[in-house]
C-alpha cells in the first residue's frame, strides 16, 4: 500500500511546477538520511528536509528588515516569524534567512496537507481554479453552473453524518455568525407558529430600530473559555481571554461552565464525571432561567484557543439531550477540530451521538468555511434572509475538494490517529522525566490534537524555535500541538528529541 | 492611444489559456459588427459578443435542471440566473442554455474589469498566485516575506489620500466590523487617558462577562437606509430593509436621518440644502445626546443597497466637521462605491474634504477587503487585540494588484467618468419620453453609478432579461446600474436601446 501511495505521489510530482521541484532537489539529500533512520516508514514528502536547518537567530537580519518594512503599513506586533512559503515544503516552514523549521503549529492549525503540496498545486493551477479566481460569483444570485458538483464532490462529500446541506462562508467567525442567524430565525419562526407564519407589523417595524420583538432579546449560549471568533456576534460567545474582548460591545448572552477535568483521566474518573454532571446541570438551569431565551448552544469538541480543554463523549451526549429536551439548537464549532486532526474527520465523530448536531461549522484546514445542516426548517422561510454578496468562495471550495482527495489518497485520517497515538506515548514518557514541564497531558486517542500545561510555556515556545521547531500555545499555559495531517512518526521522533533538548535547558 | 491599448491587449492575449481564446473566437464575428457600428471607439474586449444572444426563456431547460440539483444541497430561492462563467466574457454573462446577456449588475457590483479578463487570468495562473492559494498564511503571525511588497504595489498604491496603512479582511461585512472594533478601542483608550493607559481590573473582569465597562455601552452611528453588512455588528448599523434584519438580535445603536433629496437637483437646490442641514443638525444632536456614547459614524458615499440615495459634498463635509468637533471617528464605507465606478477611484474623492476620513472600508470590486487608516493611534495599544487566523488573503490581494494595473493600463477611472456622462445623458432623454418609469434619475457626474425609481421596478428587471440585459435593483423601487469599468459607449447605446424596448412594453 505504502509503495502504491508513493508511486501515486511520484506520478503527480512530474506535473508540478519548477518551484516545487527545485525545493525537492534542495532538500533531497537531507531527506534520504531521515528515511534511512526510520523503521521503514515511507515519507509522504520524500524530498522534505531530514531535519530543521538553523542558520541564524530568529528573526535573522533579512527577516528583521522585512518586518521593519511591513510594520510601516500594518501592525506587526503579533508577528511570530516572517515566512518564505516558496521555500517551505511539507511539514517544514522556511524563513527569509535560510532557517527551516519543523512546523507543528501550521498557520494556527489551518494548513492540512503540507506546504507546496503537489496535488494542491495541480488544483491551484487548473483552468477551473483560474476561472473561480477571476470570475468570482455572487453565489446567492448567480451561482456557477457546476456549483452543485463542486459542493457534492467536495464539501458535502465529507458532511457530518445526518447533515446533507451547507451554507458557505469566508472564515470561521462569519461561519459561526451565520449559524447563529439561522438559529435565531428558526427559533422565532417556532414562536410565531411555524414556517408559514408571517412577520407581524410589530416585528417589521421594531426590527428597523434594532429593538424587540423584530430584533429579539434572544441569546446564544456558549461555554466559559470557549472561542468562536472575533466579530461582534461570535465574540459575544467567545470567552477565552480578556485581550480578545476588551473594549468591544457585546450581547448579554449566557455562558455555561465547561468541565475542568483532572489528569490523568484514569485516576480521576469519579471526580471528572461529577464535574461534567455539575456543568450539564448548570447548562440546563441557564437554558431554563436565563433572561434572554436561548436559541442555540454552541460548543467546541475541544476548546482550542481557550487552552485545549477536553470533555468526555458523555458530556456532549448530555448536551445533545438537554438541547433536544428544551428545543434549543445544538451547534458544534469544528473550526479548529475538524478535518482529520483528532483522528476522525470530525471530532464529534468520537461521541457517537444519538442524533446529529443541528449545525456544524468549519473553516481552517478546510481552507473554506461555512455550516452544515440537515434540517430543511433551518432554511429561513423567505429568500434573502440568509444572504450576502459572495456567500463563500468557489476557489476555496475547489481547494477543499483537492484537500479531501489528498486526505483520501493517503488515508490521512487513520494515519493521524496512529501517529497521534505514537506521539502521545512519547510525550507520556517525556512527562515522566519532566513532570513540571509536561502537566495535564491531554489528547489521548484524539490524533495529534495534543496539549499539556507548563508554567514556563512562553519560554519553551521560544526555545523550541531555536531548536528548529515551530510550536504554538493556547490558553494561559498550554503548549498545543497542531501538526498537519502529513505529520509522520519520524517527525514525531524529531519533535520529541528537540522538545527534550528544550526541556533540559 | 487607443490602438496602443489594443496592441497591449493583444500581446497579453497570446499568453492566455485556450478557454479564453475559444471564447474570443466564438464571439468574434458578432463583435466585428459591433465595432463597425460604433463611432470609432476601440473595444477593450475586441472579441466580445456584439449584442446579447437570447436562445431560450431564462431559466432555460438546462438551467432549470441545474437549479433543481443545487437546491437539494443549498437554498436557491434568491437565485437570479445560473451562470456559465467559462462562457462569459467582458461585459457579457452567459448561462447554461446559450443565453448571453449584457451584464450591468456585475455580481452585485463586484466584477471590475470583465469576465475572463486576460490580464487577471495571467495573475491567476502565476506561480505567486498558486503559492498564495495553497500556502495560505496566518498573516498576523506568519506573513509571507513579500507581503509588504504586495500591499505597497497593490492595495496601498490606491490608498485614499491621507491614509497610508491597511488592515485586511475577507469581505465588506467583516471589514466594517473590524473598523468598528478599531474605533471602540480608540475611543476607550481616549477615555482611559491615552495610548499608554492600561486596562483597569474592572475592565478586564467585566469584559469576560460581556458587561460594561469592559464590554462598553458604546455605539456606532449609521444612517437610515444605510447598508453596511449582515453580520451582527455590521447588521446593527444596516437600516436598509426589514428582510435584512428580522429576527436577528441587534445593538441599541443610533441612526441618523439621511437626506431625502428631490430631483432634478437643479430645481430643488434650496429644499435640498435645507434637508441636508436638518439631517446634519439631527446627527449632531444624536452624537451629543444618545444614551450610548458614539465612537464612530459610518456612512456610504452613495447609499447603495438602500436605494441609491445621494447627498452633496457639502453634507459629507458637514459630517466630517461634526465628527471632528465631537471627537468621533468618521468611517466611510466604500464597499460598493469604491474602485472607480463613480468616475473617481474612491467616491469620497468627489467631496474635497478638509481632512481625510479616519477609516475607509473596501471590498467588492477590490476582490479583497479591509480598512485603510492613516493614524497610528488606530493601531490598538497592544498586540492581538485586532487579530484573527487569516487576517485577509494574499491570493485576493494579488488579484487586486492585477485589477489596479488593468485600471491604470486602460485609464478606466477616467473612462468610466466619461462613459457615465454619456449614459446619463441618454437616460435623461429616455426619462423625458418615459417620465413614469424613469423618475428621480440620479448619479450625474458619478460615473456609471446611476439609478432611478419606477413603480414597476421588478417587472422591468425581469423584462430586461428577456431583452438580453442583466440589471439589478436597490431599495424598494430603484433600478441600479452597476456596469463594470470596461463598460463602453457602445454598451451604453445597447443598454439604452434595450431599455427603451422594455419601457415600451
Amino acid at each position: 500500500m505504502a509503495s502504491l501511495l508513493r508511486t501515486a505521489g511520484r506520478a503527480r510530482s512530474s506535473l508540478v511546477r519548477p518551484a516545487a521541484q527545485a525545493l525537492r532537489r534542495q532538500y533531497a539529500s537531507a531527506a534520504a538520511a531521515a528515511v534511512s533512520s526510520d523503521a521503514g516508514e515511507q515519507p509522504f514528502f520524500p524530498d522534505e528536509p531530514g531535519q530543521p536547518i538553523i542558520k541564524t537567530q530568529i528573526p535573522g537580519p533579512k527577516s528583521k528588515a522585512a518586518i521593519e518594512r511591513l510594520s510601516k503599513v500594518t501592525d506587526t506586533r503579533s508577528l511570530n516569524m516572517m515566512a518564505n512559503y516558496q521555500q517551505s515544503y511539507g511539514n517544514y516552514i522556511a524563513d527569509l534567512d535560510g532557517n527551516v523549521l519543523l512546523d507543528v503549529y501550521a498557520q494556527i492549525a489551518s494548513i492540512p496537507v503540507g506546504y507546496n503540496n503537489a496535488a494542491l498545486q495541480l488544483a491551484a493551477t487548473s483552468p477551473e481554479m483560474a476561472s473561480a479566481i477571476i470570475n468570482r460569483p455572487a453565489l446567492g444570485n448567480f451561482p456557477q453552473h457546476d456549483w452543485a458538483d463542486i459542493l457534492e464532490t467536495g464539501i458535502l462529500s465529507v458532511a457530518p453524518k445526518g447533515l446533507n446541506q451547507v451554507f458557505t462562508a469566508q472564515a470561521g467567525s462569519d461561519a459561526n455568525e451565520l449559524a447563529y442567524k439561522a438559529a435565531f430565525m428558526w427559533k422565532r419562526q417556532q414562536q410565531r407558529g411555524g414556517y408559514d407564519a408571517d412577520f407581524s407589523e410589530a416585528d417589521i417595524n421594531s426590527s428597523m430600530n434594532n429593538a424587540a420583538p423584530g430584533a429579539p432579546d434572544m441569546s446564544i449560549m456558549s461555554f466559559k473559555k470557549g472561542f468562536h471568533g472575533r466579530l461582534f456576534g461570535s465574540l459575544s460567545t467567545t470567552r477565552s481571554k480578556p485581550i480578545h474582548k476588551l473594549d468591544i460591545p457585546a450581547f448579554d448572552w449566557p455562558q455555561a461552565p465547561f468541565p475542568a477535568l483532572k489528569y490523568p483521566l484514569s485516576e480521576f474518573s469519579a471526580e471528572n464525571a461529577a464535574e461534567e454532571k455539575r456543568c450539564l446541570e448548570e447548562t440546563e438551569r441557564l437554558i431554563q432561567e436565563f433572561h434572554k431565551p436561548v436559541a442555540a448552544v454552541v460548543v467546541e469538541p475541544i476548546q482550542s484557543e481557550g487552552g485545549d480543554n477536553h470533555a468526555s463523549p458523555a458530556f456532549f451526549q448530555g448536551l445533545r439531550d438537554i438541547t433536544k429536551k428544551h428545543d434549543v439548537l445544538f451547534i458544534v464549532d469544528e473550526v479548529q477540530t475538524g478535518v482529520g486532526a483528532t483522528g476522525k474527520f470530525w471530532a464529534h465523530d468520537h461521541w457517537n451521538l444519538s442524533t446529529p448536531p443541528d449545525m456544524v461549522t468549519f473553516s481552517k484546514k478546510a481552507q473554506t468555511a461555512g455550516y452544515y445542516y440537515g434540517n430543511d426548517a433551518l432554511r429561513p422561510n423567505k429568500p434573502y434572509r440568509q444572504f450576502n454578496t459572495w456567500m463563500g468562495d468557489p476557489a476555496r471550495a475547489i481547494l477543499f475538494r483537492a484537500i479531501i482527495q489528498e486526505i483520501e489518497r493517503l488515508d490521512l485520517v487513520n494515519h493521524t490517529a496512529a501517529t497521534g497515538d505514537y506521539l502521545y506515548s512519547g510525550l507520556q514518557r517525556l512527562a515522566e522525566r519532566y513532570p513540571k514541564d509536561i502537566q495535564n497531558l491531554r489528547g489521548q486517542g484524539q490524533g495529534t490534537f495534543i496539549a499539556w500545561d507548563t508554567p514556563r510555556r512562553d519560554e519553551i515556545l521560544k526555545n523550541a524555535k531555536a531548536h528548529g521547531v515551530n510550536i504554538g500555545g493556547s490558553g494561559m499555559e498550554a503548549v498545543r500541538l497542531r501538526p498537519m495531517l502529513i505529520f509522520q512518526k519520524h517527525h514525531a521522533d524529531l519533535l520529541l528529541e528537540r522538545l527534550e533538548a528544550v526541556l533540559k535547558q
Side-chain angles (χ1 to χ4, degrees), chain A residues 296-367:
Chain A
V297 171
V298 62
V299 72
E300 298 157 275
I302 300 166
Q303 289 189 327
S304 307
E305 204 60 38
D308 275 57
N309 309 311
H310 294 244
S312 75
F315 173 76
F316 293 105
Q317 178 61 54
L319 271 185
R320 169 73 288 190
D321 293 343
I322 290 169
T323 49
K324 267 262 182 266
K325 178 176 164 191
H326 295 285
D327 219 10
V328 160
L329 296 178
F330 184 44
I331 304 173
V332 178
D333 176 345
E334 291 252 25
V335 167
Q336 188 154 164
T337 52
V339 191
T342 69
K344 303 266 190 190
F345 200 95
W346 301 107
H348 77 269
D349 291 339
H350 288 281
W351 304 340
N352 293 309
L353 289 181
S354 54
T355 53
D358 296 293
M359 288 182 268
V360 172
T361 61
F362 61 95
S363 182
K364 288 206 185 248
K365 281 194 181 59
Q367 294 280 305

Side-chain angles (χ1 to χ4, degrees), chain A residues 173-203:
Chain A
S173 264
D174 62 303
N176 281 330
E177 296 211 355
L178 292 167
Y180 300 171
K181 288 180 69 170
F184 286 121
M185 292 182 211
W186 171 84
K187 191 74 182 173
R188 288 289 292 140
Q189 274 166 211
Q190 276 208 325
Q191 293 179 343
R192 274 190 208 97
Y195 204 75
D196 296 324
D198 220 336
F199 309 117
S200 70
E201 276 299 306
D203 287 336

Side-chain angles (χ1 to χ4, degrees), chain A residues 147-468:
Chain A
W147 185 228
D149 188 65
I150 292 169
L151 291 175
E152 286 169 8
T153 58
I155 294 176
L156 285 164
S157 72
V158 292
K161 211 171 72 179
L163 311 185
N164 59 2
Q165 303 182 49
V166 69
F167 192 96
T168 51
Q170 324 279 335
S173 264
D174 62 303
N176 281 330
E177 296 211 355
L178 292 167
Y180 300 171
K181 288 180 69 170
F184 286 121
M185 292 182 211
W186 171 84
K187 191 74 182 173
R188 288 289 292 140
Q189 274 166 211
Q190 276 208 325
Q191 293 179 343
R192 274 190 208 97
Y195 204 75
D196 296 324
D198 220 336
F199 309 117
S200 70
E201 276 299 306
D203 287 336
I204 290 168
N205 295 331
S206 58
S207 75
M208 297 304 286
N209 291 319
N210 292 6
D217 274 332
M218 299 183 78
S219 64
I220 303 291
M221 177 188 283
S222 59
F223 289 87
K224 200 174 165 185
K225 296 199 181 169
F227 183 93
H228 304 286
R230 301 184 61 168
L231 299 169
F232 284 84
S234 49
L235 187 61
S236 292
T237 56
T238 283
R239 310 282 185 162
S240 43
K241 292 178 187 167
I243 201 74
H244 298 156
K245 292 176 69 74
L246 275 157
D247 294 351
I248 311 303
F251 291 108
D252 177 20
W253 289 352
Q255 66 176 322
F258 192 82
L261 302 188
K262 290 184 182 167
Y263 291 84
L265 294 177
S266 54
E267 287 179 25
F268 295 97
S269 52
E271 290 91 331
N272 288 339
E275 167 69 354
E276 292 194 339
K277 183 163 176 284
R278 179 187 74 84
C279 293
L280 286 174
E281 285 169 358
E282 177 64 5
T283 301
E284 183 163 22
R285 189 191 67 76
L286 277 167
I287 288 176
Q288 291 174 287
E289 296 177 12
F290 192 75
H291 62 103
K292 296 193 177 193
V294 178
V297 171
V298 62
V299 72
E300 298 157 275
I302 300 166
Q303 289 189 327
S304 307
E305 204 60 38
D308 275 57
N309 309 311
H310 294 244
S312 75
F315 173 76
F316 293 105
Q317 178 61 54
L319 271 185
R320 169 73 288 190
D321 293 343
I322 290 169
T323 49
K324 267 262 182 266
K325 178 176 164 191
H326 295 285
D327 219 10
V328 160
L329 296 178
F330 184 44
I331 304 173
V332 178
D333 176 345
E334 291 252 25
V335 167
Q336 188 154 164
T337 52
V339 191
T342 69
K344 303 266 190 190
F345 200 95
W346 301 107
H348 77 269
D349 291 339
H350 288 281
W351 304 340
N352 293 309
L353 289 181
S354 54
T355 53
D358 296 293
M359 288 182 268
V360 172
T361 61
F362 61 95
S363 182
K364 288 206 185 248
K365 281 194 181 59
Q367 294 280 305
T368 184
Y371 66 87
Y372 293 104
Y373 61 107
N375 180 350
D376 279 341
L378 289 176
R379 292 187 181 188
N381 65 346
K382 290 182 195 300
Y384 284 105
R385 300 192 66 191
Q386 191 76 300
F387 189 85
N388 57 67
T389 298
W390 285 324
M391 303 225 308
D393 183 349
R396 295 287 170 187
I398 290 168
L399 189 70
F400 188 24
R401 183 174 61 187
I403 291 165
I404 292 165
Q405 287 165 355
E406 190 70 347
I407 288 173
E408 288 170 356
R409 182 175 75 86
L410 300 174
D411 195 21
L412 290 178
V413 179
N414 289 322
H415 161 79
T416 296
T419 311
D421 290 344
Y422 180 83
L423 175 60
Y424 188 88
S425 300
L427 287 165
Q428 275 184 314
R429 288 192 299 273
L430 264 191
E432 284 164 22
R433 293 205 291 282
Y434 304 92
K436 272 201 182 153
D437 278 327
I438 302 188
Q439 299 176 27
N440 304 325
L441 181 64
R442 45 207 189 272
Q444 188 166 26
Q446 300 286 319
T448 55
F449 212 98
I450 296 171
W452 65 88
D453 296 330
T454 165
R456 54 182 190 127
R457 193 265 310 272
D458 292 348
E459 179 194 340
I460 286 172
L461 299 185
K462 185 159 173 267
N463 290 344
K465 209 166 246 116
H467 282 80

